[in-house]
Amino acid sequence: MSLPTTPVSLPESLPERDHTVVWHPFTQMQTAPLPIPIVRGDGSVLHAADGTTYLDMISSWWVNLHGHAHPAIARRLAEQAHTLEHVIFAGFTHQPAVELAERLLTILPDNQAKVFYSDNGSTAVEVALKMAFQYWYNRNQPRRKVIALTDAYHGDTFGAMAVGGRSAFSAPFAPFLFDVDYLPTPVAGQKEETLALARQLFTSDVAAFIVEPLVQGSGGMIMYEPAILDELFRLAREQGILLIADEVMTGFGRTGKLFASHYLTEKADLMCLSKGLTGGTMALGVTTCTQAIYDAFLSDDRMKTLFHGHSFTANPLACSVALASMDLLLADETQQAIQRISANHSRFAETIAGHPRVSSIRQRGTLLAFDLNVGEQTSYFNHIRDHAYQFLLDRGVLMRPLGNVLYLMPPYCTTDEQLAYVHEQIIALLDSL
């Protein structure tokens, strides 16, 4: 007679445990494969639990500037953690927040005067919009309209969604979003149309004009020229409209200059920063503004206060790693790396220019993008996205196509040898289509 046996319960893997309790962003959880467990990062390389390595060519959603687990940033974080991890930022201050604000204002356009801290890119945009609306409210000249660009993306909170282009992402929330007027993105062939409509829409009842300067990220890495944005800014300025530059993605060297705004003659009144602000190590957002906007909130009337804040506003740990990241960013070695990667992208763009599966190659600094030409309209939901993603992932390259738009945004520590390997895999992908 056989003895009864007790079933052995095998331990669940980390991806299985994740699937039981976690809801991932931008993921259809019913059909998505189990997530890949990452145990370590080193420079541009991510190490998975099974020993597989991946070259992080999208800087982990555009945040990582200097490579994963950078020792200088880790050291600064540890030092700060032993000194002050957090303190309320209403009525109190601390050295990292003050120093970061001082140093940011030295590298931003010279009309920026004040720094307001928040938590991420969406909240940085929310703050800018609230500043713009309340600026006019405090002056007893209420303006309620906002102008944005089609295909814009400014974040996923409600104000940020409202000023983004209407899409499948915002469709369930459309009844709750405030109305925004849109200009066609001023790419080649649309400039005159954009200018003509701007002359109609830029009126004295518009509070603000918000743009992602020169590169629209989530919209498909759409790129346009500084001259046309300068012209739009001048038209808006004629009506007193406040200008908001959302540099959450384009800031900190991505476009070849420290900020995309440095390509412009005109200067925004408000700027939104996040992502690369901390080198990708901590969550932190910043909204900067001119002295004139700040002054509109100064009053003996407490109702003119900007009633906005976050529990972790100006977190000392985040401010400290942002300072460490800025040290690295401004170093000659990093500035040379930015130019090296930009030149490498240019050479690769020439290599693939004649490929029948490639169209609309565009580049701005360390950002290189092109469309995969597979007979469908360019769209986030183009079927080729999943094939391209998996093809490259199977070859140790992490890229996250925006539909049929393939793009490179590597950390600045990425070597020429690593880029050459990535280029080989991209060509193999193209030849497989």
Side-chain angles (χ1 to χ4, degrees):
M1 186 177 71
S2 61
L3 296 174
T5 59
T6 303
V8 176
S9 178
L10 297 175
E12 284 188 302
S13 67
L14 187 64
E16 290 168 331
R17 289 164 54 197
D18 174 289
H19 189 69
T20 301
V21 295
V22 175
W23 191 345
H24 286 265
F26 289 93
T27 302
Q28 176 44 259
M29 298 301 294
Q30 179 162 302
T31 57
L34 291 175
I36 298 169
I38 298 298
V39 296
R40 184 167 63 89
D42 176 22
S44 296
V45 181
L46 294 167
H47 298 261
D50 64 0
T52 304
T53 59
Y54 301 95
L55 282 168
D56 186 356
M57 290 296 101
I58 57 168
S59 296
S60 286
W61 251 343
W62 318 347
V63 300
N64 191 293
L65 297 186
H66 312 294
H68 295 278
H70 196 288
I73 294 178
R75 186 163 52 248
R76 187 77 68 93
L77 175 60
E79 290 169 356
Q80 185 61 46
H82 283 285
T83 304
L84 176 67
E85 85 300 339
H86 189 61
V87 64
I88 184 174
F89 207 60
F92 292 83
T93 192
H94 51 82
Q95 173 72 22
V98 175
E99 185 180 349
L100 178 57
E102 290 172 339
R103 293 188 63 189
L104 279 172
L105 293 176
T106 66
I107 63 174
L108 287 166
D110 59 14
N111 68 330
Q112 299 300 294
K114 298 292 181 180
V115 171
F116 191 99
Y117 289 106
S118 62
D119 295 349
N120 56 61
S122 293
T123 58
V125 170
E126 296 281 341
V127 170
L129 291 170
K130 290 177 75 172
M131 285 180 174
F133 286 130
Q134 192 174 342
Y135 169 85
W136 295 109
Y137 177 89
N138 284 358
R139 288 162 54 97
N140 295 316
Q141 301 171 331
R143 297 190 181 195
R144 297 184 176 90
K145 288 186 178 180
V146 175
I147 309 294
L149 298 180
T150 56
D151 304 309
Y153 174 83
H154 296 288
D156 295 326
T157 50
F158 270 82
M161 267 198 303
V163 296
R166 298 296 192 261
S167 68
F169 300 126
S170 59
F173 317 105
F176 313 106
L177 304 178
F178 58 78
D179 289 336
V180 172
D181 288 329
Y182 295 95
L183 297 175
T185 302
V187 295
Q190 292 186 173
K191 295 178 183 178
E192 291 308 316
E193 179 187 354
T194 301
L195 288 171
L197 187 56
R199 293 185 183 99
Q200 297 178 35
L201 295 180
F202 287 163
T203 59
S204 59
D205 59 350
V206 175
F209 174 41
I210 183 169
V211 297
E212 299 158 90
L214 308 189
V215 185
Q216 291 184 302
S218 294
M221 294 298 163
I222 301 168
M223 302 186 189
Y224 58 98
E225 295 303 312
I228 185 65
L229 185 55
D230 268 329
E231 194 160 355
L232 289 170
F233 274 8
R234 283 191 289 270
L235 286 173
R237 188 80 73 192
E238 289 175 3
Q239 300 296 327
I241 297 168
L242 297 179
L243 308 174
I244 303 174
D246 176 356
E247 293 233 28
V248 168
M249 185 271 284
T250 55
F252 304 101
R254 291 298 190 192
T255 63
K257 296 192 177 187
L258 286 179
F259 298 95
S261 295
H262 285 158
Y263 287 95
L264 304 174
T265 301
E266 301 297 318
K267 298 170 184 175
D269 301 289
L270 300 116
M271 296 183 66
C272 309
L273 310 173
S274 189
K275 291 195 182 290
L277 174 60
T278 66
T281 302
M282 302 279 290
L284 184 64
V286 156
T287 306
T288 66
C289 69
T290 62
Q291 188 68 40
I293 291 177
Y294 176 78
D295 287 346
F297 291 78
L298 301 180
S299 174
D300 293 330
D301 181 0
R302 293 187 65 184
M303 295 307 295
K304 291 191 174 182
T305 302
L306 178 64
F307 290 111
H308 188 98
H310 298 258
S311 301
F312 287 94
T313 291
N315 175 256
L317 300 174
C319 290
S320 292
V321 296
L323 286 165
S325 178
M326 193 184 301
D327 288 341
L328 294 169
L329 175 66
L330 299 179
D332 289 343
E333 181 180 358
T334 302
Q335 291 301 306
Q336 291 164 9
I338 289 172
Q339 300 310 313
R340 172 181 58 80
I341 291 170
S342 300
N344 199 309
H345 281 350
S346 296
R347 290 191 295 271
F348 181 58
E350 292 176 1
T351 300
I352 61 174
H355 199 287
R357 294 300 188 185
V358 172
S359 62
S360 189
I361 301 173
R362 55 240 189 230
Q363 181 189 358
R364 178 70 68 181
T366 68
L367 296 168
L368 174 66
F370 57 90
D371 293 357
L372 296 174
N373 186 7
V374 291
E376 293 183 41
Q377 185 178 0
T378 294
S379 164
Y380 187 89
F381 297 101
N382 191 297
H383 84 282
I384 199 62
R385 183 265 175 206
D386 291 344
H387 171 75
Y389 173 77
Q390 194 61 50
F391 184 98
L392 293 167
L393 199 66
D394 289 343
R395 288 153 180 80
V397 178
L398 172 57
M399 298 178 72
R400 191 176 170 87
L402 298 162
N404 63 313
V405 175
L406 204 62
Y407 69 92
L408 287 162
M409 191 190 299
Y412 303 145
C413 63
T414 304
T415 66
D416 287 344
E417 291 75 20
Q418 288 171 328
L419 286 172
Y421 176 78
V422 172
H423 296 162
E424 289 175 9
Q425 307 319 308
I426 291 175
I427 290 173
L429 167 66
L430 298 175
D431 291 343
S432 75
L433 298 178

